[in-house]
Amino acid sequence: MFNLNNRVAIVTGAGSKRGIGRTIALALAEQGAHVVVCDLNLAGVSEVVEEIKEKGVRSLGLKCNITSEEDIKKTVTATFNEFGRIDILVNNAGITQPVKVLDTTPEDWTRIMEVNLKGTFMITKAVLPVMIKEKYGRIINISSVSGKRGGGVFGGAHYSASKAGMLAFAKALAREVGRQGITANSVTPGLVATDIRGGLESKEEQQKMTADIPCGRMAIPEEIAATVCFLASEEAAYITGEDIDINGGSHMD
Ligand SMILES: NC(=O)c1ccc[n+]([C@@H]2O[C@H](COP(=O)([O-])OP(=O)(O)OC[C@H]3O[C@@H](n4cnc5c(N)ncnc54)[C@H](O)[C@@H]3O)[C@@H](O)[C@H]2O)c1
């Protein structure tokens, strides 16, 4: 599809078995990129690294908690030592919680913000100097339709606020780094069939959740990964500060 030969990508939260991050990591590798797979879950990371290597590109697996400055530093250093460059960062790691505002504690709020928003900021800040030196970079945030329509899908208001923050962060960053050959964009998926909701929903609930989606179903992770590959490519050099909806029509703007 798009030539990503010898590009080096870091994908956060890519160790989840049915997750969007894993699928993105595999899709980038399929297009020729070497991929650094990061997650809290090291066993999951190792499996993805093996799958990537089978595609004939190189891969490095790292335990990286994106809320830890130390882990981030180690990740960026290890990536640079191994590959000598960083071209693509996919900010995919994220958590959610289905809770009403009145039941949300300050600790809940902080936890969601720390991972989804502050973690995104911290790892982006850490890779930027390398991209600026290269005069090339692709930063892609995995936000959510919840950040645009104000939830109503699964997560609470804190999740929506964190995902809206990711959108604004990418736009503001795009203004700062455009002249250095770096783009910053977001994708905003609607419901995707993964384990992020902890398999909590029953068949009936799933039917209810998809009833109002014009496409009549959840997305599969591959449908998110395809757009990420496009945004990661040279062909997308003039797209920046944009967010691309992948939601089956559940939100149109
Ligand atoms: N599944 C959906 O319906 C949906 C919709 C819109 C947006 N998203 C977003 O897509 C992204 C991926 O979600 P998913 O559905 O694949 O979920 P998932 O739970 O399958 O994967 C998320 C991964 O992030 C990792 N993670 C969590 N906290 C982390 C941290 N502090 N540091 C590093 N890694 C961490 C988890 O270990 C997990 O492997 C998330 O940002 C999510 O908000 C998902």
Side-chain angles (χ1 to χ4, degrees), residues 3-248:
N3 182 0
L4 300 178
N5 273 345
N6 292 318
R7 293 291 180 195
V8 174
I10 296 177
V11 185
T12 67
S16 166
K17 224 179 180 57
R18 298 201 313 145
I20 296 169
R22 168 185 172 273
T23 310
I24 290 170
L26 289 167
L28 292 170
E30 191 70 45
Q31 306 308 316
H34 307 300
V35 185
V36 179
V37 179
C38 303
D39 205 298
L40 300 173
N41 165 11
L42 200 50
V45 162
S46 304
E47 282 178 31
V48 181
V49 165
E50 287 316 307
E51 282 183 83
I52 288 175
K53 284 182 178 165
E54 284 168 19
K55 297 185 183 295
V57 294
R58 289 158 65 203
S59 183
L60 185 65
L62 299 168
K63 183 174 182 300
C64 175
N65 180 346
I66 59 161
T67 68
S68 155
E69 260 186 289
E70 196 188 327
D71 280 10
I72 287 174
K73 211 169 162 190
K74 280 186 189 158
T75 298
V76 173
T77 305
T79 304
F80 194 77
N81 288 346
E82 179 75 16
F83 299 104
R85 55 189 299 133
I86 304 171
D87 303 294
I88 300 160
L89 170 66
V90 183
N91 286 312
N92 167 78
I95 53 172
T96 188
Q97 181 192 20
V99 64
K100 302 262 188 258
V101 171
L102 283 178
D103 299 321
T104 303
T105 65
E107 291 75 23
D108 291 334
W109 180 274
T110 301
R111 189 165 42 85
I112 296 282
M113 288 294 169
E114 284 272 332
V115 177
N116 296 356
L117 192 51
K118 190 174 168 197
T120 294
F121 151 68
M122 292 207 306
I123 191 158
T124 302
K125 183 179 174 188
V127 302
L128 266 184
V130 180
M131 291 182 171
I132 288 170
K133 226 175 181 173
E134 285 175 19
K135 289 209 164 297
Y136 186 92
R138 297 282 183 270
I139 294 162
I140 301 150
N141 286 352
I142 310 303
S143 173
S144 166
V145 68
S146 293
K148 297 183 86 172
R149 52 168 262 177
V153 180
F154 182 81
H158 51 357
Y159 178 74
S160 294
S162 72
K163 291 293 172 178
M166 288 175 78
L167 290 176
F169 175 60
K171 287 179 195 293
L173 179 64
R175 289 182 197 280
E176 283 188 31
V177 296
R179 285 174 196 277
Q180 276 116 335
I182 302 168
T183 65
N185 292 290
S186 305
V187 297
T188 42
L191 276 171
V192 188
T194 72
D195 293 326
I196 196 168
R197 293 172 296 276
L200 288 179
E201 72 267 18
S202 64
K203 270 249 144 39
E204 257 181 13
E205 278 164 331
Q206 269 191 23
Q207 273 170 4
K208 242 168 93 188
M209 285 162 95
T210 54
D212 291 334
I213 301 176
C215 286
R217 62 172 176 86
M218 291 191 190
I220 55 169
E222 285 75 6
E223 289 168 322
I224 315 305
T227 300
V228 171
C229 284
F230 168 57
L231 289 173
S233 71
E234 287 188 33
E235 287 87 342
Y238 206 56
I239 300 175
T240 195
E242 183 55 89
D243 43 85
I244 300 187
D245 290 334
I246 313 170
N247 61 34

